[in-house]
PDB file of all heavy atoms in Angstrom:
ATOM      1  N   CYS A 199      -1.350  11.690   3.979  1.00 97.00           N
ATOM      2  CA  CYS A 199      -0.524  12.890   3.640  1.00 97.00           C
ATOM      3  C   CYS A 199      -0.292  13.766   4.856  1.00 97.00           C
ATOM      4  O   CYS A 199       0.704  14.500   4.898  1.00 97.00           O
ATOM      5  CB  CYS A 199      -1.139  13.642   2.475  1.00 97.00           C
ATOM      6  SG  CYS A 199      -2.603  14.625   2.903  1.00 97.00           S
ATOM      7  N   GLY A 200      -1.206  13.785   5.819  1.00 96.00           N
ATOM      8  CA  GLY A 200      -1.086  14.687   6.956  1.00 96.00           C
ATOM      9  C   GLY A 200      -1.777  15.980   6.793  1.00 96.00           C
ATOM     10  O   GLY A 200      -1.741  16.821   7.692  1.00 96.00           O
ATOM     11  N   GLY A 201      -2.501  16.182   5.689  1.00 96.00           N
ATOM     12  CA  GLY A 201      -3.268  17.391   5.510  1.00 96.00           C
ATOM     13  C   GLY A 201      -3.056  18.040   4.170  1.00 96.00           C
ATOM     14  O   GLY A 201      -3.989  18.597   3.593  1.00 96.00           O
ATOM     15  N   CYS A 224      -5.596  18.323   1.181  1.00 97.00           N
ATOM     16  CA  CYS A 224      -6.396  17.068   1.416  1.00 97.00           C
ATOM     17  C   CYS A 224      -7.415  17.381   2.567  1.00 97.00           C
ATOM     18  O   CYS A 224      -8.599  17.381   2.362  1.00 97.00           O
ATOM     19  CB  CYS A 224      -5.452  15.933   1.789  1.00 97.00           C
ATOM     20  SG  CYS A 224      -6.278  14.486   2.491  1.00 97.00           S
ATOM     21  N   CYS A 227      -7.595  13.429   6.128  1.00 98.00           N
ATOM     22  CA  CYS A 227      -6.979  12.202   6.689  1.00 98.00           C
ATOM     23  C   CYS A 227      -6.633  12.374   8.192  1.00 98.00           C
ATOM     24  O   CYS A 227      -5.845  11.575   8.727  1.00 98.00           O
ATOM     25  CB  CYS A 227      -5.754  11.819   5.879  1.00 98.00           C
ATOM     26  SG  CYS A 227      -4.566  13.127   5.659  1.00 98.00           S
ATOM     27  N   CYS A 328      -3.956  10.173  -1.370  1.00 98.00           N
ATOM     28  CA  CYS A 328      -3.828   9.948   0.083  1.00 98.00           C
ATOM     29  C   CYS A 328      -4.894   8.890   0.421  1.00 98.00           C
ATOM     30  O   CYS A 328      -6.099   9.123   0.301  1.00 98.00           O
ATOM     31  CB  CYS A 328      -4.084  11.245   0.837  1.00 98.00           C
ATOM     32  SG  CYS A 328      -4.335  11.026   2.617  1.00 98.00           S
ATOM     33  N   GLY A 331      -7.249   9.786   3.188  1.00 98.00           N
ATOM     34  CA  GLY A 331      -8.124  10.841   2.690  1.00 98.00           C
ATOM     35  C   GLY A 331      -9.202  10.323   1.791  1.00 98.00           C
ATOM     36  O   GLY A 331     -10.367  10.700   1.837  1.00 98.00           O
ATOM     37  N   TYR A 349      -7.109  14.260  -5.889  1.00 98.00           N
ATOM     38  CA  TYR A 349      -5.676  14.000  -5.684  1.00 98.00           C
ATOM     39  C   TYR A 349      -4.848  14.006  -6.947  1.00 98.00           C
ATOM     40  O   TYR A 349      -3.611  14.060  -6.808  1.00 98.00           O
ATOM     41  CB  TYR A 349      -5.522  12.657  -4.943  1.00 98.00           C
ATOM     42  CG  TYR A 349      -6.127  12.708  -3.533  1.00 98.00           C
ATOM     43  CD1 TYR A 349      -7.344  12.117  -3.258  1.00 98.00           C
ATOM     44  CD2 TYR A 349      -5.464  13.423  -2.546  1.00 98.00           C
ATOM     45  CE1 TYR A 349      -7.925  12.209  -2.001  1.00 98.00           C
ATOM     46  CE2 TYR A 349      -6.019  13.556  -1.256  1.00 98.00           C
ATOM     47  CZ  TYR A 349      -7.225  12.939  -1.008  1.00 98.00           C
ATOM     48  OH  TYR A 349      -7.799  13.036   0.246  1.00 98.00           O
TER      49      TYR A 349
HETATM   50 ZN1   ZN B   1      -4.468  13.307   3.351  1.00 50.66          ZN
END
Side-chain angles (χ1 to χ4, degrees):
C199 74
C224 167
C227 54
C328 166
Y349 295 105

